[in-house]
Amino acid sequence: MKRSTLSHSFLNIILVFIESALTLLLRLDPELRKAAYPLAKQGTVVALRLYLPHVEIFATFSTKGVLLDAQLPVGRSEPDVVINAYSIQIINAITTHDSETTEKLQMRGESVQVQLVKQFIMQLGLGSLIQGLIKKFKGGKSKQDLTEAEMADKKNSYQLRIKEQQTQINTLTMKNRELETTLKEAQSKQKTLIIVTIVAIIGMIGAIITLLMN
């Protein structure tokens, strides 16, 4: 009986430390907050049944963070998602951020919530804490911190801008050619008009001289 009480107390101490670490991670990592938001919005409860050691932990997602307890929250008859795994499997999933490792975890529950929990686990870890601290001290993202998706978006954005600018250049070039053609036509008409006018004046002068001589 005493061993059970001590074991339960020790577990509660560990849960307090883990809960504090999760709170810190959620504050520092915006991507982790984004992954936790849909779970918190639904008040999702995850039961984590570990082997070696044999422990059952309940994680409740809320707007205050992720609350950990050794018992099911009051008012809940069963969890939304159940994870059955060895402790080393959970540690590997958290530290590696590998989708394949996370997919190997045995999860039961509604498919949408199971997928959200997997996304949260893949985003969770010590790497997120270190990156969060670096971003905190740097005051934002540097070019090296950009994800592949962000780089791809920026690349696509630049390509679209280049295409738009090329289209504008082509349009201006066409308009410039049209103006040059119009100008050349006007100059040609003007020359023709001047020649016709000169010829007419010369003809009039010739006609006047002819009349005077008669």
Side-chain angles (χ1 to χ4, degrees):
M1 183 70 179
K2 288 184 178 179
R3 183 183 297 177
S4 176
T5 304
L6 287 173
S7 176
H8 185 73
S9 299
F10 182 65
L11 177 61
N12 284 335
I13 293 172
I14 293 176
L15 292 181
V16 169
F17 279 109
I18 296 175
E19 192 175 294
S20 300
L22 283 173
T23 302
L24 180 61
L25 281 171
L26 286 167
R27 287 181 180 177
L28 294 176
D29 190 348
E31 294 300 322
L32 184 62
R33 286 199 303 273
K34 190 184 297 183
Y37 176 75
L39 293 169
K41 189 177 181 180
Q42 298 174 20
T44 304
V45 177
V46 179
L48 186 60
R49 294 171 183 170
L50 300 177
Y51 306 104
L52 296 177
H54 184 75
V55 179
E56 187 172 29
I57 301 170
F58 296 94
T60 304
F61 288 81
S62 70
T63 54
K64 296 179 180 179
V66 183
L67 308 177
L68 303 178
D69 201 344
Q71 297 179 351
L72 194 65
V74 178
R76 295 297 300 267
S77 57
E78 60 181 13
D80 298 296
V81 178
V82 178
I83 303 176
N84 295 298
Y86 288 94
S87 301
I88 189 66
Q89 288 180 298
I90 295 295
I91 293 172
N92 285 338
I94 292 175
T95 55
T96 60
H97 299 272
D98 182 36
S99 58
E100 186 176 347
T101 305
T102 305
E103 288 293 338
K104 289 180 180 178
L105 297 176
Q106 295 182 7
M107 295 191 188
R108 291 189 292 105
E110 188 181 348
S111 59
V112 175
Q113 288 191 322
V114 167
Q115 191 61 36
L116 289 173
V117 172
K118 286 180 180 179
Q119 290 176 2
F120 179 79
I121 291 174
M122 283 189 289
Q123 189 61 39
L124 183 62
L126 185 60
S128 298
L129 176 60
I130 295 172
Q131 290 177 4
L133 288 171
I134 291 173
K135 291 174 186 176
K136 188 83 171 178
F137 286 115
K138 283 187 176 181
K141 287 186 176 181
S142 64
K143 291 183 179 179
Q144 295 179 349
D145 293 325
L146 294 176
T147 63
E148 292 182 3
E150 290 173 332
M151 290 294 289
D153 288 340
K154 285 202 167 187
K155 184 178 179 181
N156 292 333
S157 178
Y158 289 145
Q159 288 177 344
L160 287 173
R161 288 182 184 178
I162 291 171
K163 287 181 179 179
E164 289 176 358
Q165 290 175 354
Q166 188 63 47
T167 302
Q168 291 176 356
I169 290 171
N170 292 337
T171 303
L172 290 173
T173 302
M174 291 177 62
K175 287 184 177 180
N176 188 38
R177 287 175 181 174
E178 290 176 359
L179 289 172
E180 287 179 354
T181 302
T182 303
L183 181 61
K184 286 180 180 179
E185 290 177 354
Q187 289 175 344
S188 178
K189 288 179 181 179
Q190 186 178 13
K191 287 180 181 179
T192 302
L193 181 62
I194 291 172
I195 293 171
V196 171
T197 303
I198 292 173
V199 171
I201 292 171
I202 292 173
M204 289 175 62
I205 294 172
I208 293 171
I209 292 174
T210 301
L211 291 172
L212 291 174
M213 288 179 65
N214 292 332

